[in-house]
Amino acid sequence: MMRIEWRDSTHLTFPVSVEVEAYDRFGLLHDITRALMLENANVKSISTGTVSKKNRVGLKMVLKVAELNRLFQVLEKIERIPNVLFSKRTIGPIG
């Protein structure tokens, strides 16, 4: 008889709505998505748009994260990116 071990390889994640506002610049989206990759946060959806005539851009994202602490780490890492004004979790419909 052969002994078999089953390992639970399923990682449960939760969708979280996030908003980021920053002064627009070349490479900003790359820097933000790189931070998400380094923190193992998967992007379910993302949309961008200009905030006003103040050279600002807004990003609305739905991220899939495994833990609340991981979300806080992601938001802190995004806020350290040059030109980012804020990043925060938002409450609302998750798409």
Side-chain angles (χ1 to χ4, degrees):
M1 208 182 297
M2 185 188 304
R3 183 176 170 190
I4 299 175
E5 288 185 35
W6 295 95
R7 292 189 180 169
D8 185 13
S9 63
T10 305
H11 298 291
L12 192 59
T13 60
F14 303 94
V16 180
S17 295
V18 171
E19 184 178 336
V20 177
E21 188 170 319
Y23 289 108
D24 198 12
R25 65 172 172 80
F26 181 79
L28 178 65
L29 185 59
H30 173 269
D31 291 347
I32 291 172
T33 55
R34 183 174 190 278
L36 295 172
M37 184 228 18
L38 291 173
E39 290 296 327
N40 294 319
N42 191 26
V43 179
K44 183 176 177 188
S45 68
I46 187 168
S47 64
T48 64
T50 56
V51 174
S52 64
K53 294 183 180 182
K54 296 180 182 179
N55 195 35
R56 291 185 185 180
V57 63
L59 288 85
K60 293 185 179 187
M61 301 180 282
V62 176
L63 307 178
K64 294 177 86 175
V65 295
E67 301 172 356
L68 190 57
N69 286 341
R70 178 65 69 191
L71 174 63
F72 293 145
Q73 291 172 350
V74 168
L75 295 176
E76 287 176 8
K77 189 162 233 170
I78 291 172
E79 285 189 348
R80 288 195 298 260
I81 295 171
N83 289 38
V84 171
L85 300 169
F86 67 82
S87 64
K88 64 181 182 179
R89 180 181 181 184
T90 57
I91 305 298
I94 295 178

